Amino acid sequence: MTFEQVIESNITDVKARIKRAAEKSGRSAEDILLVAVTKTIPVNTIELAIRKKVNHLGENRVQELVEKYDILKERCNWHFIGRLQTNKVKYIVDKVSMVHSVDRLNLAQEIQKRAKASGRVLDILIQVNISGEDTKAGISPENLVPFLKRVANFPNIKVKGLMTIAPYACDPEDIRWIFRGLKNISIDIGRENIDNIDMRYLSMGMSNDFEVAIEEGANIVRIGSSIFGERHYPKG
Ligand SMILES: *Cc1c(COP(=O)(O)O)cnc(C)c1O
């Protein structure tokens, strides 16, 4: 198989697995948005995925997103999924369709300021730390509602749901509770009917665990290595 055929067959395989998991939870493949995580992946490889109609891309570093955006522009939808420094919001605010990783008030304030300056309303997800691990970013479940009530007042931000990153588990069954936990929190918040707060999206599930995440209600999955292969980070 050529490299192009490998990527194509990976995409076909991932889409089939998404469909199966969606159907298992009473939904269809169209209900699940596939965000291809393209960190470290070169543009010419990304173009193979775009040709297969995978046109939502996830990046976790601002500089890398900006460099790739300069080439691919509006040929795809850009999702920012990594830890976002407030002083870098200005570089991506006019480029991304969604920020998945908002987890603190000063970041939301900066997004509000920059989105207003570029005359747009930016869709965001709030990152929640369900597992309670210190190493994971995200707001704790206890602090989520007060936080949402603050963000709800920002006119240039639209909260569209929640995101979480589960710790790696050899057996994804061991982290099913995390996905179920985020789903339950989103249901609770939906019931609070907070103005300007929408719980439409749950961004959870990566290569190792996306089927379990979908079974528990994910409707955005962020998948890198199952599409592009193992990542090779530059040395140094
Ligand atoms: C890298 C990354 C992913 C994708 O990870 P894979 O295991 O390669 O699918 C998903 N979400 C976030 C936030 C990431 O940083």
Side-chain angles (χ1 to χ4, degrees):
M1 280 210 285
T2 66
F3 181 62
E4 178 165 2
Q5 285 167 334
V6 171
I7 301 285
E8 281 193 12
S9 111
N10 287 349
I11 290 171
T12 305
D13 178 57
V14 163
K15 284 184 171 171
R17 289 166 61 192
I18 288 173
K19 182 168 190 282
R20 222 177 298 133
E23 286 168 357
K24 224 169 144 178
S25 65
R27 294 174 296 162
S28 66
E30 294 73 49
D31 298 322
I32 317 291
L33 177 65
L34 168 61
V35 172
V37 176
T38 47
K39 61 190 183 201
T40 77
I41 305 301
V43 166
N44 52 2
T45 304
I46 297 172
E47 281 173 325
L48 302 175
I50 295 174
R51 234 178 281 163
K52 284 286 282 179
K53 298 195 170 62
V54 174
N55 56 5
H56 285 259
L57 308 184
E59 288 283 344
N60 70 339
R61 289 179 58 244
V62 166
Q63 190 187 337
E64 195 175 335
L65 187 150
V66 169
E67 283 168 13
K68 289 172 180 172
Y69 181 92
D70 281 343
I71 302 166
L72 295 168
K73 300 243 162 47
E74 308 287 319
R75 286 166 61 200
C76 33
N77 299 282
W78 299 88
H79 297 250
F80 193 82
I81 62 172
R83 184 157 181 84
L84 182 53
Q85 291 173 263
T86 45
N87 63 352
K88 293 189 174 164
V89 170
K90 56 179 177 284
Y91 301 118
I92 62 164
V93 74
D94 55 346
K95 300 179 179 65
V96 296
S97 40
M98 189 180 273
V99 175
H100 292 224
S101 45
V102 178
D103 62 352
R104 56 197 194 278
L105 195 62
N106 69 345
L107 177 58
Q109 278 164 334
E110 180 68 11
I111 293 173
Q112 163 57 32
K113 176 177 150 192
R114 298 291 175 179
K116 187 177 180 203
S118 36
R120 68 171 301 194
V121 176
L122 187 59
D123 288 346
I124 66 163
L125 306 178
I126 308 301
Q127 183 170 353
V128 184
N129 182 350
I130 301 280
S131 65
E133 284 181 300
D134 292 346
T135 53
K136 288 274 182 293
I139 192 157
S140 69
E142 307 82 71
N143 293 331
L144 184 57
V145 168
F147 180 69
L148 284 170
K149 287 181 174 163
R150 303 284 300 269
V151 177
N153 296 319
F154 295 149
N156 296 79
I157 290 181
K158 183 79 193 143
V159 175
K160 291 278 188 179
L162 305 177
M163 176 270 220
T164 200
I165 303 175
Y168 178 83
C170 286
D171 180 356
E173 285 300 333
D174 293 343
I175 48 176
R176 184 182 285 277
W177 66 276
I178 290 180
F179 305 126
R180 186 168 297 176
L182 194 70
K183 171 72 181 177
N184 286 336
I185 288 170
S186 83
I187 292 171
D188 290 344
I189 290 168
R191 289 206 183 107
E192 299 225 6
N193 274 320
I194 309 168
D195 267 356
N196 197 32
I197 302 290
D198 185 343
M199 285 291 123
R200 165 148 187 219
Y201 291 115
L202 278 183
S203 170
M204 52 186 197
M206 318 192 342
S207 291
N208 184 55
D209 54 25
F210 69 88
E211 285 143 306
V212 172
I214 290 171
E215 285 166 26
E216 295 299 332
N219 53 11
I220 302 181
V221 288
R222 310 176 309 266
I223 299 180
S225 48
S226 291
I227 294 175
F228 299 109
E230 289 304 316
R231 283 178 290 278
H232 302 286
Y233 288 95
K235 290 203 176 67

